[in-house]
């Protein structure tokens, strides 16, 4: 029953994507029709949306290739996938137009669809997906193996990403002291060796393994047992505190190993100077916009207490070099 509801949700999501792309294409064609009235040198355009029907299969094919209908993404990972799909779809359509010498197709419309999709597509698609998850059509039941701090961290992580659509229905743990208890409102069940029975009886789709203190061989056996019983197995290592942004998974296929690569993005000169330019630009603009409120705060501090309104103190900065830090003197 639940699998049928999930399939229905995927079909509705697919149809909603077609509708959203239709709306984006209609807006792009409307903008292209208005351009000549704003820029007289631009050629006239009076096509209907029907001439762009073949754009949709290209978009849907790339979305499917990127896993938009088979994989679960966090909010920002889904935005990233949709942006990537918009870029590749636009390039693919332009390539077909150029190679096929299709003069009837407006390149401007193709580019406008791609640009509009960067904003409209993520907003509407994620909103539709959230509604489908709320209604239960795209919800997936999850079992967490390990009623421990890592398991609770996994529960918190899954609850913090509603875009995944995961519903945690229980913990499994061998510790008899935890049996029947509740962690964060989720019941703890016993006997990890009975996990297959829980999968079959409770219609569980995915399993999370949160057993950082178990031996590698034991974890290998557990994963081997589950990988053909559950749709997916998520392993939560006890790596709390690692930077998420800039971390990627690297696969070594010859040795069947993988590693987490934690990048120092600012080690690249281009990234470093881009960030510096951004900091100075935004800092300068904000200083101008907030000049009056900052002056008012300084005046209030000066009138209500003795001493200068700004406090200066040396702090340790990059490479251990001290720098003067300025802030309003709001404590005494």
């Amino acid at each position: 029953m639940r699998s049928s509801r999930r399939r229905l949700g995927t079909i509705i999501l697919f149809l909603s994507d077609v509708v959203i792309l239709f709306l984006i294409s209609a807006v792009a064609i409307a903008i292209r029709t208005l351009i000549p009235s704003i820029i007289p040198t631009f050629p006239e355009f009076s096509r209907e949306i029907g001439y762009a029907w073949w754009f949709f299969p290209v978009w849907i094919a790339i979305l499917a290739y990127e896993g938009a209908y088979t994989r679960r993404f966090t909010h920002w990972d889904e935005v990233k996938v949709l942006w990537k799909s918009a870029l590749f779809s636009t390039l693919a359509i332009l390539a077909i137009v150029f190679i096929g010498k299709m003069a009837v197709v407006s390149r401007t419309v193709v580019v406008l669809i791609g640009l509009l999709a960067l904003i409209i597509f993520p907003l509407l698609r994620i909103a539709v997906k959230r509604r489908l998850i709320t209604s239960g059509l795209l919800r997936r039941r999850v079992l967490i193996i390990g009623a421990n701090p890592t398991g609770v961290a996994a529960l918190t992580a899954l609850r913090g990403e509603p875009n995944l659509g995961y519903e945690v229905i229980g913990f499994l743990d061998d510790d008899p002291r935890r049996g029947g208890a509740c962690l964060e409102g989720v019941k703890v069940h016993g006997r990890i060796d009975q996990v297959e029975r829980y999968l079959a009886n409770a219609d569980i789709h995915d399993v999370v393994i949160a057993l950082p203190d178990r031996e590698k061989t034991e974890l290998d056996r557990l994963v081997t047992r589950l990988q053909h019983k559950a749709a997916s197995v998520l392993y939560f290592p006890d790596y709390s505190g690692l930077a998420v942004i800039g971390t990627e998974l690297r696969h070594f296929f010859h040795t069947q190993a993988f590693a987490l690569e934690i990048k120092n993005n600012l080690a690249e000169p281009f990234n470093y100077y881009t960030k510096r330019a951004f900091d100075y630009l935004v800092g300068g603009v904000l200083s101008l916009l907030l000049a009056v409120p900052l002056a008012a705060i300084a005046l209030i501090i000066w009138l209500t207490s003795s001493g200068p309104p700004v406090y200066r103190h040396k702090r340790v900065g990059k490479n251990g070099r001290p720098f003067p830090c300025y802030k309003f003197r709001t404590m005494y």
Side-chain angles (χ1 to χ4, degrees):
M1 179 62 180
R2 291 191 179 93
S3 60
S4 300
R5 288 172 64 84
R6 284 193 297 267
R7 282 194 291 271
L8 176 60
T10 302
I11 293 171
I12 295 174
L13 184 63
F14 168 81
L15 294 176
S16 71
D17 285 346
V18 176
V19 173
I20 293 170
L21 289 171
F22 180 86
L23 293 175
I24 292 173
S25 300
V27 173
I29 290 174
I31 293 174
R32 175 61 183 87
T33 305
L34 291 174
I35 288 178
S37 62
I38 302 172
I39 307 175
T41 56
F42 232 75
E44 294 291 332
F45 182 82
S46 59
R47 297 274 180 183
E48 298 293 333
I49 194 171
Y51 96 106
W53 65 269
W54 61 273
F55 292 2
F56 300 158
V58 174
W59 273 83
I60 296 299
I62 291 178
L63 283 169
Y65 177 78
E66 292 295 330
Y69 305 107
T70 56
R71 297 171 59 193
R72 295 277 165 147
F73 299 101
T74 61
H75 177 87
W76 290 111
D77 281 343
E78 180 142 6
V79 171
K80 181 180 177 180
V81 166
L82 296 179
W83 284 350
K84 185 178 177 181
S85 299
L87 174 62
F88 287 165
S89 299
T90 302
L91 293 177
I93 293 171
L94 287 175
I96 294 171
V97 169
F98 280 110
I99 294 173
K101 298 180 180 179
M102 304 169 68
V104 295
V105 177
S106 169
R107 278 74 165 170
T108 306
V109 169
V110 176
V111 174
L112 282 172
I113 291 173
L115 293 175
L116 290 170
L118 294 176
I119 301 173
I120 299 175
F121 203 15
L123 290 175
L124 295 183
R125 187 182 203 266
I126 291 176
V128 170
K129 191 173 181 181
R130 292 283 179 88
R131 184 60 61 88
L132 291 172
I133 291 171
T134 303
S135 65
L137 291 178
L138 285 181
R139 192 174 298 158
R140 284 158 72 140
R141 293 160 68 84
V142 179
L143 181 68
I144 298 179
I145 300 179
N148 50 51
T150 303
V152 173
L155 172 65
T156 303
L158 295 180
R159 283 178 171 175
E161 286 290 349
N163 200 64
L164 292 171
Y166 286 142
E167 178 188 6
V168 179
I169 57 106
F171 288 94
L172 274 189
D173 201 281
D174 286 335
D175 190 340
R177 295 172 299 177
R178 295 180 176 137
C182 284
L183 289 177
E184 302 293 330
V186 178
K187 188 175 180 180
V188 180
H189 304 271
R191 306 218 30 202
I192 295 177
D193 60 353
Q194 298 293 318
V195 60
E196 288 90 349
R197 182 170 61 85
Y198 286 101
L199 293 178
N201 295 339
D203 190 28
I204 294 168
H205 199 266
D206 303 300
V207 176
V208 171
I209 298 178
L211 299 171
D213 56 343
R214 298 297 175 96
E215 294 291 335
K216 178 181 179 298
T217 53
E218 186 178 354
L219 289 175
D220 288 343
R221 286 196 298 267
L222 182 59
V223 171
T224 302
R225 285 170 54 194
L226 295 176
Q227 64 180 352
H228 299 299
K229 300 290 191 304
S232 65
V233 178
L234 293 81
Y235 175 64
F236 268 74
D238 189 13
Y239 286 153
S240 59
L242 285 180
V244 176
I245 298 176
T247 302
E248 294 182 3
L249 191 64
R250 294 297 182 197
H251 298 87
F252 301 89
F253 293 100
H254 292 292
T255 57
Q256 295 185 345
F258 64 88
L260 288 175
E261 179 182 4
I262 305 169
K263 295 182 177 180
N264 177 9
N265 292 323
L266 293 181
E268 296 293 332
F270 176 79
N271 293 341
Y272 174 78
Y273 288 111
T274 300
K275 182 183 183 302
R276 292 283 286 178
F278 177 83
D279 290 344
Y280 282 119
L281 177 63
V282 174
V285 172
L286 288 177
S287 297
L288 292 175
L289 294 176
L290 300 176
V292 174
L294 292 175
I297 293 172
L299 179 61
I300 293 171
I301 295 173
W302 181 70
L303 292 175
T304 56
S305 63
S306 60
V310 176
Y311 171 75
R312 180 179 183 273
H313 188 262
K314 280 191 176 183
R315 301 291 173 89
V316 178
K318 184 179 178 182
N319 298 325
R321 292 196 301 266
F323 70 96
C325 176
Y326 298 90
K327 64 177 185 176
F328 286 120
R329 184 180 49 78
T330 55
M331 294 181 291
Y332 62 91

